[in-house]
Amino acid sequence: MSRAMPGDRCFEKIGLDPRVALVQNGFMARSSLISVTLRRAGPPALALCVMAFFGGYAVLGPNGVLAYGDYTRQIARKQAEFAALDKQRAVLRNHVALVDPRHADPDMVDDLVRKQLNVMHPDEVSIPLD
């Protein structure tokens, strides 16, 4: 059974159970009810808040579902940039092959020397295309 408290005799004189009187009587019962409710509902509520946070981050975060469209646009832009750079690399590779010292194209070498050194024959006229 429960322990008897010093004020329990007062409640017994009027015919009430001390525990019921305490619940009906006041603040102690309300705080007890609130603490019991918080103990029961607190952990599930906290778990729900944590799941809502991670769920929101999965949808709205920088790597979330809504960022997927931006990633596809970035990939398309980078692929176009890569194609342009690949074409430029092919042109440069061709120029390197034409100037290779082992089997250089004489016309290409003559053209490059004239451009770089600004050397011309006296009877030639230079018309820049740029």
Side-chain angles (χ1 to χ4, degrees):
M1 214 137 170
S2 66
R3 273 185 15 217
M5 300 297 273
D8 288 352
R9 283 192 223 148
C10 302
F11 295 113
E12 290 174 352
K13 285 182 185 177
I14 53 174
L16 292 174
D17 185 12
R19 290 170 288 174
V20 173
L22 185 62
V23 169
Q24 291 174 348
N25 202 10
F27 179 73
M28 191 81 145
R30 281 190 218 126
S31 68
S32 172
L33 181 64
I34 291 172
S35 67
V36 168
T37 304
L38 286 177
R39 279 191 206 127
R40 286 184 182 170
L46 181 64
L48 187 63
C49 289
V50 169
M51 287 189 296
F53 171 76
F54 284 115
Y57 195 75
V59 172
L60 301 172
N63 295 328
V65 174
L66 297 179
Y68 179 73
D70 187 40
Y71 282 138
T72 55
R73 284 189 294 276
Q74 285 180 1
I75 286 173
R77 193 173 353 158
K78 294 293 182 182
Q79 285 175 342
E81 183 180 339
F82 176 74
L85 288 174
D86 199 34
K87 186 183 285 186
Q88 183 180 3
R89 184 178 64 179
V91 168
L92 289 174
R93 186 175 287 155
N94 185 32
H95 281 288
V96 168
L98 291 174
V99 185
D100 186 17
R102 287 175 277 168
H103 47 79
D105 181 25
D107 291 332
M108 180 73 166
V109 172
D110 185 46
D111 186 40
L112 285 175
V113 167
R114 288 174 186 263
K115 265 189 206 174
Q116 295 292 325
L117 299 177
N118 201 15
V119 176
M120 295 174 44
H121 290 289
D123 59 345
E124 292 180 336
V125 177
S126 174
I127 302 173
L129 298 176
D130 300 349

